[in-house]
Amino acid sequence: MATILFRVLLVALGLGAAEIGLTGVVTDGSASAWALLLLVGMPLIVAGSAGIIGPFLGAPVRAGRSVVLGRPRRIDRGDRSPGDRPTTSSDRPIVALAALGLAAALASLTAATAAAHEVGGGAETLAVEPTSVTAGESVVVAGSGLEPDTERVLVLAGQNLVVDLGTVTVDAEGSFQKEVTIPSHLPSGAYELRAIGDETLTVTLTVTAAAGSEATSGPSSTGETVAPRQRSALELGLILGLVVVIGVAGAFLVWRAERFRGPSPV
Amino acid sequence: MTGASRAISRDPWRRIWAAIDERLGLSGLAYPVPAHANGIGYILGGITFFGFLILAATGVWLAQFYDPVPSAAHESVVYIMNVAPLGDLVRGIHFWVANVVMATVLLHMGRVFATGAYKRPREANWLIGLGLLAVTLGLIFTGTVLKWDQEGYEALGHNVEVGNLLGAVGFWFSPEFTPSLPILGRLYIAHIAILPLLGVLLLIAHFLLVKRHGISPLPAAADAAVDGGPAPARDGSTFAAHVVRMTGFGLLILAASTVLALVVPAGLGPRPVPGVEQTKPPWMFLPLYPFEDWFGLDALLWVPAILFGWFALVPFIDRSPYRSARRRRVIVAIGLLIAVALVGLALYAWFTVPEAHLQEAM
């Protein structure tokens, strides 16, 4: 079991490393990202996968035992085929490769995390001024470090609500600035202002409902948002009772299915 | 009257069954069931079938309140969630069972692949199964669009763009197909009529071929027979026990989905904003998402085509009579690599920020 868990761990680490590497490859195409993907992620995935599928393909799991599709089969000494090797010697290269990959993954993950922070803390920024506003007033949204001459869609997203604030064009210096008016009907709450392009930049904006507005931070009564259904104790009890009956009936049928013999096939 | 039938006649339930069976011939549907067919791996198809029954029943209820007109669709889903009798619960069950069904379809396919059950004489049934996978994906895709929130609207955008990529063949996916009915209405018809009808026809063919060929034997037993050993056992259990166990699992799924619907209701995003792309697809479509990032919308055509094409060719590539994975190392390794890659791609898509695909295509 420990061996299997170790191999699963390898696959998981490999997927994680490959994901980070892929992210780097897609965003900046750096050599370290490619190295993380190809030299760490992929070998770990292959090594872990090989270790997991090995027993299914006939490789021995433990001395004297073999596995065919997950069903242990005892092998007598005189009943061994050439493929039923009784030791774990064939596992050793896989384990050694996996151990090497694990060590490399830990080292590379540390480096990749640092690199990711460096990329994330780089030039691309989105800011809003002021960061707190009353609905109906205006804010200035500014972005910098973006790809020049591209377009960004500005969106204000809150709970069960998305407002399109229009499109801005990034100038030749990679910046944009736009004054936008926050719709006066918005309820109070924390919103996320997004600049959507090839990738999405976000900044938090706190909105206070305009005085006299009917908007609230909860679901509105206009029928446009979903409100949690209020159920009486009786209704909830009936539903849960029915669930228990269905569940017990299902478990009973699964458990005692062989008692139902039925007609013979025609 | 035989002694057996006299014994049956003393049991009122069996008398009722005998009376029904005499007139409807239901026992003609039965086929030999080996003992291993009641294991979870071999009963996944049956569980999927019961999942479809739950989806049909809950879908009929939801259809009483859903309005497939773009200006009213989102509000009608809000109405279902807020006002319609048990609407939120039924929609939640519909949502969760759809996810379970998708998972059991994939697991069922994985089991058939791993055990080589697609081999002669079951090649046609493997292809029918692939058709059912496509229908299931189509039902989930159209269902996603129907809720008409931001996610659904962006899914529709992909639908339209794929139609454009298909050229003249994709005319049905275009809003220009007819001005008399919005494309949302036509996708609704696809969701409640066209795809279910296609699915039922394929299911009938699927079941008939299972009855014709029997449930596939365990790989070890099949291989032993190929090597001159005894033929695999065709029975050991009964059809009734098989169906009862399927039903039991179906009821368990219903109970679990009801609890999930109460605890984690089916989501509904805000009313869609045209021109905005900020959502990701449901989990079963996530592996396609990175390809869109890297290669654009064209990937939505050729990646599924390659995947389905490869799986369709599997029975014709893997021609050896052996079914154990150890005797089909290459094909199993390729299948495993594809599975690992799909999971890796889904994880990648899950953790990356949404990108605009439709805007780039315009």
Side-chain angles (χ1 to χ4, degrees), chain B residues 251-267:
Chain B
L251 292 176
L252 285 176
I253 288 173
L254 177 59
S257 299
T258 308
V259 172
L260 278 170
L262 286 170
V263 178
V264 189

Side-chain angles (χ1 to χ4, degrees), chain B residues 39 54 75 215 260 278 280 352:
Chain B
I54 297 170
E75 282 67 25
I215 291 175
L260 278 170
Q278 59 172 23
K280 292 178 185 176
T352 51

Side-chain angles (χ1 to χ4, degrees), chain B residues 113 118 310 314 317-318 328-336:
Chain B
F113 182 87
Y118 50 75
W310 187 82
V314 160
I317 297 171
D318 185 16
R328 302 159 43 233
R329 296 173 191 230
V330 173
I331 207 87
V332 170
I334 293 173
L336 196 71

Side-chain angles (χ1 to χ4, degrees), chain A residues 53 194 198 227 231 254 258, chain B residues 38 88 245 278 336 360:
Chain A
I53 66 169
R194 300 170 182 163
D198 283 345
R231 300 185 194 283
V254 169
E258 290 297 339
Chain B
N38 286 332
D88 61 329
R245 180 157 285 193
Q278 59 172 23
L336 196 71
E360 288 181 352

